[in-house]
């Protein structure tokens, strides 16, 4: 059974034990900021030191995508906030 979370309202498949960043990168999603952001949020260090991969979580505090395990049904988007497309 494939598990999914949602990035900008689009489903992203993940494997058990995979981080949010790993699943996004495997899905071909490397830019974690809004399209108009320059520079856009990205995964740089992969160990939580750079904070480059912090993403917004619907109904919760932002998380570092490289350290946070993916979980079924999470609704994520770029900072600073999640819009109505994540409802």
């Amino acid at each position: 059974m494939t598990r999914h979370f949602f990035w900008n309202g689009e489903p992203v498949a993940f494997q058990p034990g995979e981080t949010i960043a790993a699943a996004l990168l495997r899905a071909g999603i490397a830019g974690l900021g809004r399209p108009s952001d320059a520079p856009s949020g990205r995964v740089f260090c992969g160990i939580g030191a750079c904070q480059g991969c912090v993403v917004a979580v619907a109904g919760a505090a932002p998380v570092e995508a490289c350290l946070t395990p993916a979980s079924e049904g999470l609704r994520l988007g770029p900072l600073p906030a999640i819009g109505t497309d994540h409802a």
Side-chain angles (χ1 to χ4, degrees):
M1 179 175 157
T2 304
R3 299 174 185 199
H4 293 87
F5 62 82
F6 296 89
W7 175 254
N8 287 333
E10 297 296 322
V12 176
F14 67 92
Q15 302 297 319
E18 196 170 38
T19 65
I20 293 166
L24 288 171
L25 290 172
R26 192 168 38 73
I29 301 168
L32 304 181
R34 297 185 181 277
S36 61
D37 286 352
S40 179
R42 300 188 77 75
V43 178
F44 290 108
C45 70
I47 59 172
C50 74
Q51 305 277 309
C53 66
V54 174
V55 296
V57 181
V63 298
E64 294 163 318
C66 71
L67 296 179
T68 306
S71 61
E72 182 69 31
L74 267 180
R75 294 189 178 273
L76 308 164
L79 291 175
I82 295 177
T84 57
D85 56 334
H86 295 273

